Amino acid sequence: MRSSLSSSNDARASSAASPSSTLFGCLRAGTAAILFQLTLGTLVVAYTPVVPWIALVFLLGLPLAISVTRARAGLFMPAVAIMTLTGVSPAFVVDAPLWGRTVNLRLVDDIPAGVGVAGYAAPRWRVATDFAGEARMSGGRGNESYGTRRLAPLVGDGWRPEFPVEVWVAGEVRDSGRILTSHPQFWNEPGGEYVRFVGIAVSGAQIIARDAATKFGLKTLDEPLIVTRAPSISGALADQYQAIARTAAVPLLGWVFCILVAAGCSKRRERGR
């Protein structure tokens, strides 16, 4: 009887520790960790001062990788790479709030901003293109230049250069010739709304705005509100969610690939015994 129970327990332990079961556990834990890192990174980019907090999200990938790969130490290095990079990947795709209301600028004197505001409808406002400033944008491998970011004041009826500028519109001009919805050629076309600009590029855009204000003798805030023009705020948010989903697909597929490679290596070792 005791022999039978012992054999049964050994079989259960062997089954629990089998390569397929540990790999499946790693797959589930890794998937959960990737989604957690992506969600956390997205919230950090959209709603906090990005630089200090995104660094913490990046470092969080290390303990997550350790936890995920406890049963499969061979997966530790790829897990570290995937978890840490997933945490910072939203910094390259999130440039608008994730939710919020649309404020009609005809109805307020003090322009609201913050977590509850996604953007603005400003039918009686215009972009003062005569006071635009711009700077080159760079990124990617070798930090190569790929276009120009241009900013100009968004002003209401009756605005004059001696009045302060609270809002600046940011637009991108790509060297490739690609025309984005924020392109300056659309700034003063009828219709359209203005999405509140967030993320790692905000501080750089504010510097361009302050430089333009100094150049043209305008008054502006130390940290002016930056917006980008879009056909609609809801459409801009939908496009951003699609970009986040595409970003999520990369680490998820990478993790699945790592699991499949580990499974193949396990089968080879079993055959070699």
mmCIF file of all heavy atoms in Angstrom, residues 97 99-125 154 166-167 192-196 225 227-228 232-234 237:
data_model
loop_
_atom_site.group_PDB
_atom_site.id
_atom_site.type_symbol
_atom_site.label_atom_id
_atom_site.label_comp_id
_atom_site.label_asym_id
_atom_site.label_seq_id
_atom_site.Cartn_x
_atom_site.Cartn_y
_atom_site.Cartn_z
ATOM 1 N N PRO A 97 -3.565 61.764 -24.216
ATOM 2 C CA PRO A 97 -4.182 61.124 -23.056
ATOM 3 C C PRO A 97 -4.917 59.852 -23.465
ATOM 4 O O PRO A 97 -5.296 59.673 -24.623
ATOM 5 C CB PRO A 97 -5.164 62.185 -22.553
ATOM 6 C CG PRO A 97 -4.639 63.478 -23.079
ATOM 7 C CD PRO A 97 -4.020 63.148 -24.405
ATOM 8 N N TRP A 99 -7.798 58.878 -22.038
ATOM 9 C CA TRP A 99 -9.224 59.162 -21.938
ATOM 10 C C TRP A 99 -9.370 60.612 -21.488
ATOM 11 O O TRP A 99 -8.399 61.288 -21.186
ATOM 12 C CB TRP A 99 -9.905 58.214 -20.945
ATOM 13 C CG TRP A 99 -9.355 58.308 -19.552
ATOM 14 C CD1 TRP A 99 -9.604 59.279 -18.603
ATOM 15 C CD2 TRP A 99 -8.407 57.428 -18.956
ATOM 16 N NE1 TRP A 99 -8.875 59.042 -17.474
ATOM 17 C CE2 TRP A 99 -8.148 57.915 -17.641
ATOM 18 C CE3 TRP A 99 -7.759 56.259 -19.383
ATOM 19 C CZ2 TRP A 99 -7.265 57.281 -16.774
ATOM 20 C CZ3 TRP A 99 -6.884 55.639 -18.510
ATOM 21 C CH2 TRP A 99 -6.644 56.131 -17.224
ATOM 22 N N GLY A 100 -10.604 61.089 -21.424
ATOM 23 C CA GLY A 100 -10.854 62.451 -20.958
ATOM 24 C C GLY A 100 -11.925 63.127 -21.783
ATOM 25 O O GLY A 100 -12.351 62.630 -22.820
ATOM 26 N N ARG A 101 -12.341 64.276 -21.306
ATOM 27 C CA ARG A 101 -13.405 65.018 -21.982
ATOM 28 C C ARG A 101 -12.836 66.009 -22.978
ATOM 29 O O ARG A 101 -11.651 66.370 -22.925
ATOM 30 C CB ARG A 101 -14.265 65.741 -20.947
ATOM 31 C CG ARG A 101 -13.510 66.780 -20.128
ATOM 32 C CD ARG A 101 -14.333 67.241 -18.929
ATOM 33 N NE ARG A 101 -13.552 68.145 -18.078
ATOM 34 C CZ ARG A 101 -13.637 69.462 -18.121
ATOM 35 N NH1 ARG A 101 -14.459 70.049 -18.998
ATOM 36 N NH2 ARG A 101 -12.902 70.198 -17.321
ATOM 37 N N THR A 102 -13.690 66.459 -23.873
ATOM 38 C CA THR A 102 -13.331 67.491 -24.838
ATOM 39 C C THR A 102 -13.899 68.824 -24.362
ATOM 40 O O THR A 102 -15.099 68.940 -24.124
ATOM 41 C CB THR A 102 -13.886 67.156 -26.228
ATOM 42 O OG1 THR A 102 -13.341 65.910 -26.668
ATOM 43 C CG2 THR A 102 -13.527 68.243 -27.227
ATOM 44 N N VAL A 103 -13.048 69.804 -24.187
ATOM 45 C CA VAL A 103 -13.449 71.112 -23.689
ATOM 46 C C VAL A 103 -13.665 72.042 -24.872
ATOM 47 O O VAL A 103 -12.817 72.130 -25.769
ATOM 48 C CB VAL A 103 -12.378 71.699 -22.748
ATOM 49 C CG1 VAL A 103 -12.754 73.117 -22.326
ATOM 50 C CG2 VAL A 103 -12.206 70.805 -21.529
ATOM 51 N N ASN A 104 -14.797 72.740 -24.859
ATOM 52 C CA ASN A 104 -15.076 73.731 -25.887
ATOM 53 C C ASN A 104 -14.495 75.069 -25.439
ATOM 54 O O ASN A 104 -14.949 75.657 -24.459
ATOM 55 C CB ASN A 104 -16.593 73.845 -26.097
ATOM 56 C CG ASN A 104 -16.929 74.651 -27.333
ATOM 57 O OD1 ASN A 104 -16.225 75.603 -27.680
ATOM 58 N ND2 ASN A 104 -18.004 74.289 -28.010
ATOM 59 N N LEU A 105 -13.506 75.554 -26.139
ATOM 60 C CA LEU A 105 -12.802 76.764 -25.720
ATOM 61 C C LEU A 105 -13.632 78.029 -25.896
ATOM 62 O O LEU A 105 -13.223 79.094 -25.447
ATOM 63 C CB LEU A 105 -11.487 76.892 -26.482
ATOM 64 C CG LEU A 105 -10.408 75.877 -26.124
ATOM 65 C CD1 LEU A 105 -9.119 76.178 -26.871
ATOM 66 C CD2 LEU A 105 -10.140 75.859 -24.626
ATOM 67 N N ARG A 106 -14.794 77.936 -26.488
ATOM 68 C CA ARG A 106 -15.666 79.097 -26.548
ATOM 69 C C ARG A 106 -16.321 79.363 -25.200
ATOM 70 O O ARG A 106 -16.802 80.458 -24.942
ATOM 71 C CB ARG A 106 -16.768 78.878 -27.592
ATOM 72 C CG ARG A 106 -16.270 78.846 -29.025
ATOM 73 C CD ARG A 106 -17.395 78.549 -29.985
ATOM 74 N NE ARG A 106 -18.017 77.258 -29.699
ATOM 75 C CZ ARG A 106 -19.058 76.770 -30.362
ATOM 76 N NH1 ARG A 106 -19.609 77.475 -31.326
ATOM 77 N NH2 ARG A 106 -19.546 75.588 -30.065
ATOM 78 N N LEU A 107 -16.341 78.340 -24.333
ATOM 79 C CA LEU A 107 -17.118 78.439 -23.102
ATOM 80 C C LEU A 107 -16.279 78.713 -21.865
ATOM 81 O O LEU A 107 -16.809 78.834 -20.778
ATOM 82 C CB LEU A 107 -17.898 77.143 -22.892
ATOM 83 C CG LEU A 107 -18.807 76.727 -24.057
ATOM 84 C CD1 LEU A 107 -19.489 75.413 -23.728
ATOM 85 C CD2 LEU A 107 -19.844 77.812 -24.334
ATOM 86 N N VAL A 108 -14.955 78.779 -21.980
ATOM 87 C CA VAL A 108 -14.107 78.968 -20.796
ATOM 88 C C VAL A 108 -13.077 80.058 -21.041
ATOM 89 O O VAL A 108 -12.605 80.261 -22.156
ATOM 90 C CB VAL A 108 -13.377 77.651 -20.431
ATOM 91 C CG1 VAL A 108 -14.366 76.586 -19.993
ATOM 92 C CG2 VAL A 108 -12.523 77.155 -21.578
ATOM 93 N N ASP A 109 -12.756 80.782 -19.984
ATOM 94 C CA ASP A 109 -11.692 81.773 -20.054
ATOM 95 C C ASP A 109 -10.375 81.167 -19.575
ATOM 96 O O ASP A 109 -9.325 81.401 -20.170
ATOM 97 C CB ASP A 109 -12.045 82.989 -19.193
ATOM 98 C CG ASP A 109 -13.266 83.719 -19.722
ATOM 99 O OD1 ASP A 109 -13.411 83.788 -20.948
ATOM 100 O OD2 ASP A 109 -14.074 84.196 -18.904
ATOM 101 N N ASP A 110 -10.436 80.418 -18.479
ATOM 102 C CA ASP A 110 -9.252 79.742 -17.957
ATOM 103 C C ASP A 110 -9.179 78.360 -18.589
ATOM 104 O O ASP A 110 -10.017 77.493 -18.301
ATOM 105 C CB ASP A 110 -9.355 79.637 -16.434
ATOM 106 C CG ASP A 110 -8.112 79.008 -15.825
ATOM 107 O OD1 ASP A 110 -7.061 79.023 -16.491
ATOM 108 O OD2 ASP A 110 -8.214 78.497 -14.701
ATOM 109 N N ILE A 111 -8.201 78.118 -19.444
ATOM 110 C CA ILE A 111 -8.134 76.875 -20.211
ATOM 111 C C ILE A 111 -7.770 75.716 -19.288
ATOM 112 O O ILE A 111 -6.687 75.690 -18.705
ATOM 113 C CB ILE A 111 -7.093 76.998 -21.338
ATOM 114 C CG1 ILE A 111 -7.494 78.129 -22.282
ATOM 115 C CG2 ILE A 111 -6.975 75.682 -22.094
ATOM 116 C CD1 ILE A 111 -6.451 78.450 -23.321
ATOM 117 N N PRO A 112 -8.665 74.741 -19.125
ATOM 118 C CA PRO A 112 -8.377 73.618 -18.224
ATOM 119 C C PRO A 112 -7.435 72.610 -18.874
ATOM 120 O O PRO A 112 -7.397 72.448 -20.086
ATOM 121 C CB PRO A 112 -9.760 72.991 -17.985
ATOM 122 C CG PRO A 112 -10.506 73.280 -19.254
ATOM 123 C CD PRO A 112 -9.996 74.622 -19.731
ATOM 124 N N ALA A 113 -6.654 71.948 -18.042
ATOM 125 C CA ALA A 113 -5.774 70.881 -18.508
ATOM 126 C C ALA A 113 -5.711 69.845 -17.399
ATOM 127 O O ALA A 113 -6.328 69.991 -16.354
ATOM 128 C CB ALA A 113 -4.385 71.425 -18.829
ATOM 129 N N GLY A 114 -4.984 68.779 -17.636
ATOM 130 C CA GLY A 114 -4.849 67.761 -16.601
ATOM 131 C C GLY A 114 -5.484 66.453 -17.003
ATOM 132 O O GLY A 114 -5.916 66.260 -18.147
ATOM 133 N N VAL A 115 -5.569 65.538 -16.037
ATOM 134 C CA VAL A 115 -5.985 64.164 -16.306
ATOM 135 C C VAL A 115 -7.358 64.078 -16.932
ATOM 136 O O VAL A 115 -7.613 63.247 -17.796
ATOM 137 C CB VAL A 115 -5.948 63.350 -14.987
ATOM 138 C CG1 VAL A 115 -6.523 61.959 -15.198
ATOM 139 C CG2 VAL A 115 -4.528 63.255 -14.466
ATOM 140 N N GLY A 116 -8.285 64.952 -16.527
ATOM 141 C CA GLY A 116 -9.658 64.828 -17.007
ATOM 142 C C GLY A 116 -9.901 65.406 -18.381
ATOM 143 O O GLY A 116 -11.032 65.330 -18.894
ATOM 144 N N VAL A 117 -8.894 66.015 -19.017
ATOM 145 C CA VAL A 117 -9.078 66.671 -20.318
ATOM 146 C C VAL A 117 -8.270 65.954 -21.382
ATOM 147 O O VAL A 117 -7.058 65.792 -21.249
ATOM 148 C CB VAL A 117 -8.651 68.154 -20.243
ATOM 149 C CG1 VAL A 117 -8.790 68.815 -21.611
ATOM 150 C CG2 VAL A 117 -9.476 68.893 -19.200
ATOM 151 N N ALA A 118 -8.958 65.514 -22.436
ATOM 152 C CA ALA A 118 -8.256 64.866 -23.551
ATOM 153 C C ALA A 118 -7.867 65.870 -24.620
ATOM 154 O O ALA A 118 -6.867 65.697 -25.318
ATOM 155 C CB ALA A 118 -9.128 63.776 -24.163
ATOM 156 N N GLY A 119 -8.676 66.920 -24.776
ATOM 157 C CA GLY A 119 -8.373 67.899 -25.809
ATOM 158 C C GLY A 119 -9.430 68.970 -25.883
ATOM 159 O O GLY A 119 -10.285 69.099 -25.002
ATOM 160 N N TYR A 120 -9.392 69.721 -26.991
ATOM 161 C CA TYR A 120 -10.184 70.934 -27.089
ATOM 162 C C TYR A 120 -10.818 71.069 -28.464
ATOM 163 O O TYR A 120 -10.207 70.729 -29.482
ATOM 164 C CB TYR A 120 -9.294 72.158 -26.829
ATOM 165 C CG TYR A 120 -8.489 72.039 -25.558
ATOM 166 C CD1 TYR A 120 -7.212 71.464 -25.587
ATOM 167 C CD2 TYR A 120 -9.002 72.451 -24.338
ATOM 168 C CE1 TYR A 120 -6.469 71.329 -24.425
ATOM 169 C CE2 TYR A 120 -8.272 72.317 -23.164
ATOM 170 C CZ TYR A 120 -7.004 71.749 -23.214
ATOM 171 O OH TYR A 120 -6.282 71.600 -22.064
ATOM 172 N N ALA A 121 -12.029 71.586 -28.450
ATOM 173 C CA ALA A 121 -12.662 72.062 -29.674
ATOM 174 C C ALA A 121 -12.554 73.576 -29.657
ATOM 175 O O ALA A 121 -12.902 74.217 -28.656
ATOM 176 C CB ALA A 121 -14.125 71.633 -29.732
ATOM 177 N N ALA A 122 -12.041 74.157 -30.728
ATOM 178 C CA ALA A 122 -11.773 75.598 -30.743
ATOM 179 C C ALA A 122 -12.194 76.193 -32.082
ATOM 180 O O ALA A 122 -11.356 76.645 -32.867
ATOM 181 C CB ALA A 122 -10.296 75.861 -30.475
ATOM 182 N N PRO A 123 -13.506 76.207 -32.365
ATOM 183 C CA PRO A 123 -13.956 76.644 -33.697
ATOM 184 C C PRO A 123 -13.685 78.107 -34.008
ATOM 185 O O PRO A 123 -13.610 78.485 -35.168
ATOM 186 C CB PRO A 123 -15.464 76.352 -33.648
ATOM 187 C CG PRO A 123 -15.806 76.322 -32.191
ATOM 188 C CD PRO A 123 -14.608 75.782 -31.502
ATOM 189 N N ARG A 124 -13.553 78.947 -32.983
ATOM 190 C CA ARG A 124 -13.327 80.366 -33.227
ATOM 191 C C ARG A 124 -11.880 80.769 -32.926
ATOM 192 O O ARG A 124 -11.575 81.949 -32.819
ATOM 193 C CB ARG A 124 -14.300 81.208 -32.397
ATOM 194 C CG ARG A 124 -15.756 80.954 -32.746
ATOM 195 C CD ARG A 124 -16.686 81.760 -31.856
ATOM 196 N NE ARG A 124 -16.500 83.202 -32.059
ATOM 197 C CZ ARG A 124 -17.105 83.913 -33.009
ATOM 198 N NH1 ARG A 124 -17.921 83.312 -33.865
ATOM 199 N NH2 ARG A 124 -16.892 85.203 -33.120
ATOM 200 N N TRP A 125 -11.020 79.783 -32.803
ATOM 201 C CA TRP A 125 -9.611 80.039 -32.575
ATOM 202 C C TRP A 125 -8.838 79.776 -33.859
ATOM 203 O O TRP A 125 -9.332 79.123 -34.778
ATOM 204 C CB TRP A 125 -9.071 79.152 -31.451
ATOM 205 C CG TRP A 125 -9.614 79.502 -30.084
ATOM 206 C CD1 TRP A 125 -10.924 79.672 -29.748
ATOM 207 C CD2 TRP A 125 -8.866 79.702 -28.896
ATOM 208 N NE1 TRP A 125 -11.058 79.960 -28.428
ATOM 209 C CE2 TRP A 125 -9.799 79.983 -27.863
ATOM 210 C CE3 TRP A 125 -7.513 79.646 -28.589
ATOM 211 C CZ2 TRP A 125 -9.409 80.234 -26.547
ATOM 212 C CZ3 TRP A 125 -7.114 79.896 -27.270
ATOM 213 C CH2 TRP A 125 -8.063 80.189 -26.274
ATOM 214 N N LEU A 154 -1.808 78.996 -30.511
ATOM 215 C CA LEU A 154 -3.237 78.824 -30.763
ATOM 216 C C LEU A 154 -3.945 79.950 -30.015
ATOM 217 O O LEU A 154 -3.879 80.021 -28.781
ATOM 218 C CB LEU A 154 -3.726 77.467 -30.263
ATOM 219 C CG LEU A 154 -5.226 77.173 -30.466
ATOM 220 C CD1 LEU A 154 -5.575 77.122 -31.953
ATOM 221 C CD2 LEU A 154 -5.615 75.876 -29.772
ATOM 222 N N GLU A 166 -1.095 81.014 -24.147
ATOM 223 C CA GLU A 166 -1.184 79.898 -23.204
ATOM 224 C C GLU A 166 -1.082 78.542 -23.890
ATOM 225 O O GLU A 166 -0.665 77.560 -23.279
ATOM 226 C CB GLU A 166 -2.503 79.962 -22.424
ATOM 227 C CG GLU A 166 -2.634 81.177 -21.527
ATOM 228 C CD GLU A 166 -3.891 81.108 -20.686
ATOM 229 O OE1 GLU A 166 -4.266 79.999 -20.255
ATOM 230 O OE2 GLU A 166 -4.512 82.164 -20.475
ATOM 231 N N VAL A 167 -1.469 78.490 -25.179
ATOM 232 C CA VAL A 167 -1.524 77.205 -25.883
ATOM 233 C C VAL A 167 -0.714 77.295 -27.167
ATOM 234 O O VAL A 167 -0.828 78.277 -27.920
ATOM 235 C CB VAL A 167 -2.983 76.814 -26.224
ATOM 236 C CG1 VAL A 167 -3.027 75.390 -26.781
ATOM 237 C CG2 VAL A 167 -3.885 76.940 -25.008
ATOM 238 N N GLY A 192 -11.879 70.083 -37.243
ATOM 239 C CA GLY A 192 -10.722 69.569 -36.518
ATOM 240 C C GLY A 192 -10.743 69.969 -35.054
ATOM 241 O O GLY A 192 -11.423 70.925 -34.651
ATOM 242 N N GLU A 193 -10.013 69.212 -34.262
ATOM 243 C CA GLU A 193 -9.911 69.461 -32.825
ATOM 244 C C GLU A 193 -8.444 69.388 -32.412
ATOM 245 O O GLU A 193 -7.576 69.050 -33.226
ATOM 246 C CB GLU A 193 -10.768 68.443 -32.064
ATOM 247 C CG GLU A 193 -12.250 68.580 -32.368
ATOM 248 C CD GLU A 193 -13.101 67.522 -31.698
ATOM 249 O OE1 GLU A 193 -12.565 66.441 -31.371
ATOM 250 O OE2 GLU A 193 -14.318 67.768 -31.519
ATOM 251 N N TYR A 194 -8.188 69.702 -31.151
ATOM 252 C CA TYR A 194 -6.819 69.777 -30.669
ATOM 253 C C TYR A 194 -6.630 68.827 -29.483
ATOM 254 O O TYR A 194 -7.253 68.992 -28.439
ATOM 255 C CB TYR A 194 -6.475 71.213 -30.266
ATOM 256 C CG TYR A 194 -6.563 72.172 -31.435
ATOM 257 C CD1 TYR A 194 -7.739 72.854 -31.712
ATOM 258 C CD2 TYR A 194 -5.475 72.352 -32.283
ATOM 259 C CE1 TYR A 194 -7.832 73.719 -32.790
ATOM 260 C CE2 TYR A 194 -5.554 73.210 -33.374
ATOM 261 C CZ TYR A 194 -6.727 73.888 -33.624
ATOM 262 O OH TYR A 194 -6.819 74.723 -34.707
ATOM 263 N N VAL A 195 -5.777 67.834 -29.678
ATOM 264 C CA VAL A 195 -5.517 66.826 -28.665
ATOM 265 C C VAL A 195 -4.398 67.313 -27.757
ATOM 266 O O VAL A 195 -3.378 67.832 -28.247
ATOM 267 C CB VAL A 195 -5.111 65.484 -29.323
ATOM 268 C CG1 VAL A 195 -4.910 64.407 -28.260
ATOM 269 C CG2 VAL A 195 -6.158 65.053 -30.329
ATOM 270 N N ARG A 196 -4.567 67.127 -26.451
ATOM 271 C CA ARG A 196 -3.518 67.516 -25.508
ATOM 272 C C ARG A 196 -2.304 66.620 -25.697
ATOM 273 O O ARG A 196 -2.406 65.410 -25.711
ATOM 274 C CB ARG A 196 -4.057 67.425 -24.074
ATOM 275 C CG ARG A 196 -3.139 68.040 -23.031
ATOM 276 C CD ARG A 196 -3.881 68.266 -21.721
ATOM 277 N NE ARG A 196 -4.420 67.024 -21.183
ATOM 278 C CZ ARG A 196 -3.734 66.164 -20.425
ATOM 279 N NH1 ARG A 196 -2.467 66.417 -20.136
ATOM 280 N NH2 ARG A 196 -4.303 65.083 -19.956
ATOM 281 N N LEU A 225 0.863 74.961 -22.427
ATOM 282 C CA LEU A 225 0.079 73.806 -22.845
ATOM 283 C C LEU A 225 0.373 73.519 -24.318
ATOM 284 O O LEU A 225 0.314 74.423 -25.165
ATOM 285 C CB LEU A 225 -1.413 74.095 -22.650
ATOM 286 C CG LEU A 225 -2.401 73.010 -23.091
ATOM 287 C CD1 LEU A 225 -2.203 71.735 -22.293
ATOM 288 C CD2 LEU A 225 -3.831 73.526 -22.925
ATOM 289 N N VAL A 227 -0.643 71.251 -27.694
ATOM 290 C CA VAL A 227 -1.686 70.427 -28.311
ATOM 291 C C VAL A 227 -1.265 70.083 -29.736
ATOM 292 O O VAL A 227 -0.348 70.693 -30.290
ATOM 293 C CB VAL A 227 -3.049 71.166 -28.332
ATOM 294 C CG1 VAL A 227 -3.536 71.456 -26.921
ATOM 295 C CG2 VAL A 227 -2.962 72.462 -29.154
ATOM 296 N N THR A 228 -1.927 69.102 -30.310
ATOM 297 C CA THR A 228 -1.732 68.782 -31.728
ATOM 298 C C THR A 228 -3.090 68.726 -32.401
ATOM 299 O O THR A 228 -4.081 68.294 -31.792
ATOM 300 C CB THR A 228 -1.008 67.430 -31.918
ATOM 301 O OG1 THR A 228 -1.770 66.390 -31.274
ATOM 302 C CG2 THR A 228 0.375 67.462 -31.316
ATOM 303 N N SER A 232 -10.380 64.540 -35.213
ATOM 304 C CA SER A 232 -11.239 64.444 -34.034
ATOM 305 C C SER A 232 -10.441 63.851 -32.888
ATOM 306 O O SER A 232 -9.514 63.072 -33.108
ATOM 307 C CB SER A 232 -12.476 63.582 -34.312
ATOM 308 O OG SER A 232 -12.122 62.213 -34.414
ATOM 309 N N ILE A 233 -10.809 64.214 -31.673
ATOM 310 C CA ILE A 233 -10.120 63.683 -30.497
ATOM 311 C C ILE A 233 -10.397 62.199 -30.347
ATOM 312 O O ILE A 233 -9.490 61.406 -30.056
ATOM 313 C CB ILE A 233 -10.539 64.459 -29.241
ATOM 314 C CG1 ILE A 233 -9.978 65.884 -29.324
ATOM 315 C CG2 ILE A 233 -10.068 63.758 -27.972
ATOM 316 C CD1 ILE A 233 -10.463 66.803 -28.243
ATOM 317 N N SER A 234 -11.634 61.787 -30.562
ATOM 318 C CA SER A 234 -11.974 60.363 -30.430
ATOM 319 C C SER A 234 -11.191 59.526 -31.436
ATOM 320 O O SER A 234 -10.710 58.431 -31.123
ATOM 321 C CB SER A 234 -13.478 60.149 -30.623
ATOM 322 O OG SER A 234 -13.897 60.601 -31.907
ATOM 323 N N LEU A 237 -7.544 59.195 -30.219
ATOM 324 C CA LEU A 237 -7.407 58.229 -29.134
ATOM 325 C C LEU A 237 -7.528 56.801 -29.655
ATOM 326 O O LEU A 237 -6.801 55.901 -29.213
ATOM 327 C CB LEU A 237 -8.462 58.490 -28.052
ATOM 328 C CG LEU A 237 -8.400 59.852 -27.360
ATOM 329 C CD1 LEU A 237 -9.371 59.891 -26.179
ATOM 330 C CD2 LEU A 237 -6.997 60.179 -26.889
#
